[in-house]
Amino acid sequence: ELVTLSSDFFADKYLQNQHWVITAGPTREAIDPVRYISNHSSGKMGYAIAHAALRAGAKVTLISGPVDIAAPTGCELIQVISAEQMHKQALTYAPQATTFVACAAVADYRVADIASEKIKKDSDVMQISLIKNHDIVADVAQLAQKPFIVGFAAETQNVEQYARGKLMRKNLDLIAANDVAKAGQGFNSNDNALTVFSAIDKIEIPLANKHIVAKQLVSLINQHYLLKHTRK
Amino acid sequence: ELVTLSSDFFADKYLQNQHWVITAGPTREAIDPVRYISNHSSGKMGYAIAHAALRAGAKVTLISGPVDIAAPTGCELIQVISAEQMHKQALTYAPQATTFVACAAVADYRVADIASEKIKKDSDVMQISLIKNHDIVADVAQLAQKPFIVGFAAETQNVEQYARGKLMRKNLDLIAANDVAKAGQGFNSNDNALTVFSAIDKIEIPLANKHIVAKQLVSLINQHYLLKHTRK
């Protein structure tokens, strides 16, 4: 079932007239002016997808959390810090998109009361109270005018079960799952391996450089996008 | 009181025969395999101090949390992630040092129970319980064979009061304070301004590029080191 690509595949601008909105990187949730909660996302996978979609001729809006890599030339870069900021930008741009790829590792929770001054360490123990953030990809899937929606699931166990649950519960078109507990792939790595689920399919994209994985994923997303579009 | 430097100042290897141990960057405290608590330290100030000390002829051991900048050529780089790892390395290297500069923004607390698998977001609220980390600079100051010790205080309010309190309470020789709430200095900036306190002195190093501030600070530390050494 693996998508095979000819060497001159990207000579074809097969995404012309498509507008992809892609979220990438981590978010940071402030505890106080100095401290924050974040995660190990490097943004490499999302940026590679943006690059591949651009190469294939799409207009690309990249909504990115704080990362240390350069955005691909030609994309519209929207920089955000927190999950709430990313949520706002995603809901602004998604209604005009043909395709929405939620690759960012968005913080599920934010700090309930962000301290305006640096918290002093007076006590031996401390509690941080968190409240749930809006679910970006689920909210995009609730839009009246909604794009083709691809989610991501970075898991450390029960990968297929969690990914299929997320696909159905959030009403996504596709979900790309990876096992971040495996060495040499996922967060901060240059390589990745994905298992992509639709309601009926399961497609493996084997371990490779994230740019190679991204090219295959972009093609796969487009195939499913065209299928859905044709069926309508 | 400002230290003035002639242009050929660093022609003099005035730190030869000194061994500086410098901590730099943030630490990361794991919540689960994916999420962590960190802070906005970029490592730039600590790395600039390491660079300046090397230029002045010191042997330099740089104990660094995760940063995105390259270590200066010629230093011994010890990479760590968590505050506990930094504590262990600091107490290993400090007894051989002439000077210990605690520039890292060490997490005051770590997560009490680190989850071995990614925490699922089942509930609308979540509590993270934190426990206090060892105080690295205070523990170095407790060593029988202790170096000259310079602490840092990054504050958002009451800067002098907190800095002087920390100097006395932790038994430091000098403390370099900066107001990270001020725009254009401190965390992640290329510039910094410091106020350095000894038990009796207060010296201002005005806003400038961190490499310029570091040169002045290194010279200032050495002056106080020599004073203390001479008094003995």
Side-chain angles (χ1 to χ4, degrees), chain A:
Chain A
E1 291 176 302
L2 179 64
V3 181
T4 51
L5 305 172
S6 70
S7 61
D8 61 343
F9 189 72
F10 281 96
D12 292 328
K13 298 283 184 186
Y14 66 94
L15 294 185
Q16 265 183 343
N17 304 319
Q18 290 195 25
H19 177 191
W20 285 41
V21 173
I22 301 164
T23 70
T27 66
R28 285 184 185 165
E29 308 302 316
I31 298 172
D32 65 19
V34 173
R35 304 171 178 96
Y36 60 79
I37 297 174
S38 193
N39 62 65
H40 293 291
S41 172
S42 62
K44 287 174 188 165
M45 192 66 228
Y47 278 53
I49 294 167
H51 183 78
L54 281 163
R55 286 284 298 278
K59 175 185 172 183
V60 172
T61 302
L62 179 59
I63 303 172
S64 177
V67 298
D68 296 301
I69 52 179
T73 307
C75 80
E76 177 183 32
L77 178 66
I78 311 293
Q79 291 177 299
V80 298
I81 305 289
S82 69
E84 292 298 282
Q85 290 168 356
M86 187 174 276
H87 180 263
K88 186 182 170 191
Q89 296 296 335
L91 290 183
T92 300
Y93 286 92
Q96 294 107 53
T98 53
T99 306
F100 181 78
V101 182
C103 191
V106 182
D108 299 319
Y109 295 91
R110 68 179 178 277
V111 175
D113 296 299
I114 300 171
S116 60
E117 302 293 346
K118 185 179 173 187
I119 299 165
K120 304 308 293 182
K121 47 174 178 174
D122 297 323
S123 61
D124 284 346
V125 293
M126 190 174 137
Q127 291 280 330
I128 302 181
S129 295
L130 305 174
I131 53 176
K132 214 177 217 178
N133 279 322
H134 289 111
D135 188 324
I136 295 175
V137 76
D139 285 357
V140 168
Q142 296 290 321
L143 290 169
Q145 194 179 348
K146 71 172 182 174
F148 186 86
I149 301 173
V150 184
F152 270 74
E155 304 293 346
T156 59
Q157 59 180 346
N158 305 330
V159 176
E160 178 158 356
Q161 181 196 329
Y162 285 134
R164 285 201 179 278
K166 199 167 169 177
L167 179 79
M168 297 303 165
R169 193 172 64 251
K170 299 191 182 182
N171 197 26
L172 313 180
D173 294 298
L174 287 177
I175 193 160
N178 65 333
D179 188 336
V180 290
K182 285 187 182 159
Q185 66 187 64
F187 286 143
N188 240 321
S189 170
N190 288 320
D191 297 331
N192 204 1
L194 296 175
T195 309
V196 183
F197 301 95
S198 71
I200 51 170
D201 273 352
K202 174 182 176 177
I203 307 107
E204 301 282 353
I205 300 181
L207 187 65
N209 181 281
K210 283 179 176 175
H211 280 284
I212 295 170
V213 171
K215 282 184 187 175
Q216 297 182 24
L217 180 62
V218 165
S219 170
L220 182 66
I221 291 170
N222 186 51
Q223 288 168 27
H224 281 78
Y225 168 82
L226 294 176
L227 271 174
K228 188 183 181 185
H229 197 71
T230 312
R231 275 201 305 267
K232 273 182 182 170

Side-chain angles (χ1 to χ4, degrees), chain A residues 121, chain B residues 21-24 27 29 63 80 82-92 94 100-108 133-143 149-150 166 170 172:
Chain A
K121 47 174 178 174
Chain B
V21 173
I22 300 163
T23 69
T27 65
E29 308 302 314
I63 304 172
V80 298
S82 70
E84 291 298 282
Q85 290 168 356
M86 187 173 276
H87 180 262
K88 186 182 170 191
Q89 296 297 336
L91 289 182
T92 300
F100 182 78
V101 183
C103 192
V106 181
D108 299 319
N133 278 324
H134 289 112
D135 188 323
I136 295 175
V137 77
D139 285 358
V140 168
Q142 295 291 320
L143 289 169
I149 300 173
V150 184
K166 200 168 168 178
K170 298 189 181 183
L172 312 180

Side-chain angles (χ1 to χ4, degrees), chain B residues 114-147:
Chain B
I114 301 171
S116 60
E117 302 292 347
K118 185 180 174 187
I119 299 166
K120 304 309 290 180
K121 46 173 177 176
D122 296 323
S123 61
D124 283 345
V125 294
M126 192 173 135
Q127 291 281 329
I128 302 180
S129 295
L130 305 174
I131 53 176
K132 214 177 217 179
N133 278 324
H134 289 112
D135 188 323
I136 295 175
V137 77
D139 285 358
V140 168
Q142 295 291 320
L143 289 169
Q145 194 179 349
K146 71 171 180 174

Side-chain angles (χ1 to χ4, degrees), chain B residues 25 32 40 49 156 203 232:
Chain B
D32 65 20
H40 293 290
I49 295 168
T156 58
I203 306 106
K232 272 182 180 169

